[in-house]
Amino acid sequence: MSREFALKLNGVGIEYLQRQSFFRHKKHRVLSNITFNITKGETLGVLGRNGCGKSTLLKVLAGIIAPDQGNIEFFGNSVSLLTLAAGFDNELSGRDNAIVSAMLLGNTKADAIAQLDEVNEFAELGGAFEEPVKTYSAGMRARLGFSIAVKMQADVLLIDEVLGVGDEGFKKKARSVILDRINSEQTVVLVSHSVDTMVNLCQRAIWLERGQLKGIGEAATLCEEYRNTFKL
Amino acid sequence: MTSNQFFQLTITKVFLNLKAEASKSYLSYLWWVLEPALFVAVFYLVFGVFLGNRSEGFIVFLMCGKIPYLWFSRSVNNSANAIVAGGGLMNQVSIPKVFFPSVVVLQDLIKSAVVFLLMIVLVLINNYKPSIEWIAVPLLFLIQALVIAPIAIISSALVPFIPDLKFIVMTMTTMGMFASGIFYDYRKVVLPEHHDAFLLNPLANLIAMYRGALLENQWPDWQSLGNITGIAIIALIMSIKITQFFDLKYPRLVIR
């Protein structure tokens, strides 16, 4: 493969200290010796069961936490976690939240304001856009969150199980927008519990187990292996 | 995030927070003035009526110290928990952590500006005539903001490491009130040889200057005002550096 690297992890390890008493701390290893790279334009899947370190890995990739061992190279790329409802304030209207949330996801204020109509149209909130978010149903809230998040611009987009929000109609729409992003030149890291989704969308995948890299390779092959191991 | 984006975000968040806060009560924005007004009323009742200290403008003297000090102690106490409270957000998006205390400090600054107007009204209705020295008050206000910011940022930066500090901060701000000459005029109470030491406390110094300008038509002591400003700016830069140094530590500290 001669394509350009987007991200490169070299022996990344993460450990949390858990305070047990005043002086005693217990070390809790979440990731150890993770080495892989992501090339520009590819979609990489992350397989693994609950508690295997997927969320922690995404935080490392997003630059939210720094590795304790090893390092990560970004090659000047911006990496962002697709986050729903980041920094929502229940007392504020959908409109106000859409502005702050979009700014938190890296937009300028002017851009955040310019995209408001589009966000409202996509979220299908209508007049409720001017009402406080505390009056929203869980579905409306999720729709608003998704509509803001999907506008996010980043060189590498990290997606964690957000393919199914809202009712059936919205789910379909959301899915197609995400698929458009994934199938474009966008570099994506996708975490999903659905092995089928992974096979369909990803070229390559990695498999995490108890914080270790258990496998890395072509998505179809690795997913098959994963499926056989857990008899899915 | 560019620094321009950071400032835009901070300012936007400050105004929306104020809006959200106001929307939580029936009288909304009116509470900004109403709360300190109730405060003044209680002080008037206790000192002016019950203790009979009405004669020498004691209430005005008291409020010219109490209102600036209240701003300081509120900001510092509200900021102490700011980074911890931002735990959810900082685990979702990559954001400079100084954002959290900055929002709190600016929010309190805007509310306090309103309260300061109330303080000026109080001075006026007590028959003090505006003088040229009053123009020093906005300057003192800005310098006080410069003093508050680093203390607020440092306490918010340390509380995630040592949660118990929150209580120490609370106690210190209460104790600090007695050391800042709110209830007394230091020139009458503190021994002359200790005046310099007393005025090392920037709040005691600023409060004396507020009173000087508003009640005694005196210009601030420019020398010590300059010193306070200089030290505050250095402390502010250092406090920001501290949050930057631990920037990637906080998301893991505050989630546990």
Side-chain angles (χ1 to χ4, degrees):
Chain A
M1 234 195 293
S2 63
R3 298 190 70 168
E4 213 182 321
F5 284 134
L7 283 180
K8 205 170 168 184
L9 276 77
N10 308 311
V12 165
I14 293 277
E15 51 202 21
Y16 278 79
L17 284 178
Q18 201 163 22
R19 190 169 40 185
Q20 288 193 313
S21 61
F22 200 85
F23 288 113
R24 291 225 325 270
H25 287 83
K26 199 172 118 190
K27 258 188 196 169
H28 183 63
R29 219 164 228 300
V30 191
L31 289 177
S32 54
N33 199 21
I34 307 288
T35 301
F36 68 91
N37 53 54
I38 302 163
T39 50
K40 276 215 160 142
E42 83 166 331
T43 302
L44 180 90
V46 181
L47 288 164
R49 315 187 77 185
N50 283 334
C52 69
K54 285 180 305 219
S55 310
T56 307
L57 179 66
L58 288 187
K59 282 186 201 169
V60 174
L61 292 175
I64 289 172
I65 61 178
D68 294 311
Q69 290 93 33
N71 61 42
I72 173 166
E73 289 172 73
F74 288 102
F75 306 102
N77 290 308
S78 64
V79 187
S80 289
L81 193 62
L82 197 132
T83 312
L84 300 187
F88 269 26
D89 184 331
N90 283 330
E91 300 291 333
L92 293 173
S93 66
R95 178 181 295 275
D96 287 339
N97 273 306
I99 296 173
V100 178
S101 201
M103 290 176 79
L104 281 166
L105 300 182
N107 290 291
T108 60
K109 189 169 188 185
D111 289 344
I113 291 172
Q115 71 183 27
L116 280 174
D117 289 340
E118 261 176 86
V119 167
N120 189 19
E121 199 185 319
F122 194 90
E124 300 165 18
L125 290 172
F129 197 48
E130 315 300 337
E131 301 294 325
V133 168
K134 66 181 172 190
T135 63
Y136 287 19
S137 68
M140 288 163 81
R141 201 182 145 94
R143 277 177 359 228
L144 177 62
F146 182 88
S147 309
I148 300 161
V150 82
K151 296 252 162 224
M152 201 158 153
Q153 299 298 327
D155 297 327
V156 181
L157 201 57
L158 312 175
I159 304 178
D160 189 358
E161 296 279 7
V162 284
L163 298 179
V165 292
D167 55 19
E168 280 309 315
F170 189 80
K171 222 177 262 182
K172 221 167 141 191
K173 194 165 79 169
R175 208 178 150 79
S176 90
V177 178
I178 286 279
L179 290 185
D180 285 348
R181 284 294 285 269
I182 291 176
N183 292 328
S184 69
E185 275 302 285
Q186 178 83 57
T187 313
V188 176
V189 176
L190 180 68
V191 172
S192 175
H193 283 293
S194 156
V195 180
D196 293 327
T197 311
M198 199 88 34
V199 176
N200 287 334
L201 298 178
C202 305
Q203 288 93 51
R204 286 197 309 143
I206 62 168
W207 176 356
L208 286 181
E209 201 161 298
R210 293 211 187 100
Q212 312 247 5
L213 199 59
K214 188 160 184 200
I216 178 164
E218 209 184 314
T221 327
L222 200 71
C223 286
E224 197 52 44
E225 205 181 311
Y226 183 80
R227 218 193 287 257
N228 290 335
T229 308
F230 296 112
K231 301 198 170 56
L232 294 168
Chain B
M1 190 176 289
T2 63
S3 51
N4 193 18
Q5 263 174 308
F6 178 83
F7 288 123
Q8 276 187 350
L9 174 63
T10 310
I11 300 297
T12 309
K13 185 71 184 149
V14 167
F15 281 102
L16 289 179
N17 275 1
L18 290 171
K19 191 169 158 185
E21 201 183 310
S23 75
K24 279 180 206 161
S25 55
Y26 289 118
L27 297 178
S28 73
Y29 295 104
L30 212 58
W31 275 115
W32 295 7
V33 190
L34 223 51
E35 198 203 350
L38 282 172
F39 212 85
V40 176
V42 170
F43 270 79
Y44 180 77
L45 191 71
V46 172
F47 290 100
V49 180
F50 293 160
L51 298 179
N53 216 334
R54 214 176 319 199
S55 52
E56 296 153 68
F58 184 66
I59 306 297
V60 184
F61 172 85
L62 192 64
M63 294 328 285
C64 287
K66 185 71 194 167
I67 285 174
Y69 194 82
L70 206 60
W71 170 28
F72 164 78
S73 68
R74 284 238 170 106
S75 297
V76 174
N77 280 311
N78 291 344
S79 312
N81 211 33
I83 288 184
V84 175
L89 187 57
M90 73 174 75
N91 270 287
Q92 293 179 314
V93 295
S94 166
I95 184 170
K97 306 308 174 281
V98 74
F99 169 75
F100 300 102
S102 303
V103 168
V104 176
V105 168
L106 289 173
Q107 216 174 310
D108 278 328
L109 181 138
I110 292 172
K111 282 158 79 175
S112 296
V114 179
V115 182
F116 264 63
L117 291 179
L118 183 88
M119 182 172 90
I120 304 282
V121 171
L122 199 72
V123 172
L124 284 172
I125 56 178
N126 274 277
N127 295 324
Y128 288 92
K129 295 277 165 287
S131 68
I132 183 77
E133 289 82 5
W134 282 30
I135 59 171
V137 174
L139 179 70
L140 292 171
F141 183 84
L142 286 179
I143 292 170
Q144 189 183 343
L146 268 180
V147 171
I148 288 172
I151 300 173
I153 293 171
I154 288 172
S155 46
S156 80
L158 297 182
V159 165
F161 293 98
I162 316 163
D164 314 51
L165 263 180
K166 218 170 18 188
F167 303 105
I168 298 178
V169 168
M170 217 186 290
T171 316
M172 293 286 272
T173 48
T174 311
M175 300 288 283
M177 192 165 76
F178 298 103
S180 302
I182 312 292
F183 300 101
Y184 53 87
D185 186 341
Y186 78 96
R187 288 165 301 187
K188 290 178 193 156
V189 176
V190 179
L191 294 172
E193 61 263 40
H194 295 154
H195 279 184
D196 286 344
F198 178 83
L199 291 176
L200 277 180
N201 170 2
L203 279 154
N205 213 330
L206 282 168
I207 285 168
M209 292 186 209
Y210 280 123
R211 285 172 176 157
L214 285 170
L215 310 177
E216 296 165 13
N217 299 338
Q218 263 173 25
W219 288 107
D221 172 2
W222 300 112
Q223 171 73 45
S224 56
L225 202 56
N227 292 344
I228 293 173
T229 311
I231 293 169
I233 288 172
I234 294 168
L236 182 60
I237 293 169
M238 274 167 53
S239 67
I240 294 170
K241 293 273 178 217
I242 291 173
T243 63
Q244 285 172 343
F245 183 77
F246 292 123
D247 206 58
L248 296 180
K249 290 252 182 262
Y250 290 125
R252 295 164 65 175
L253 270 174
V254 296
I255 209 79
R256 68 182 167 197

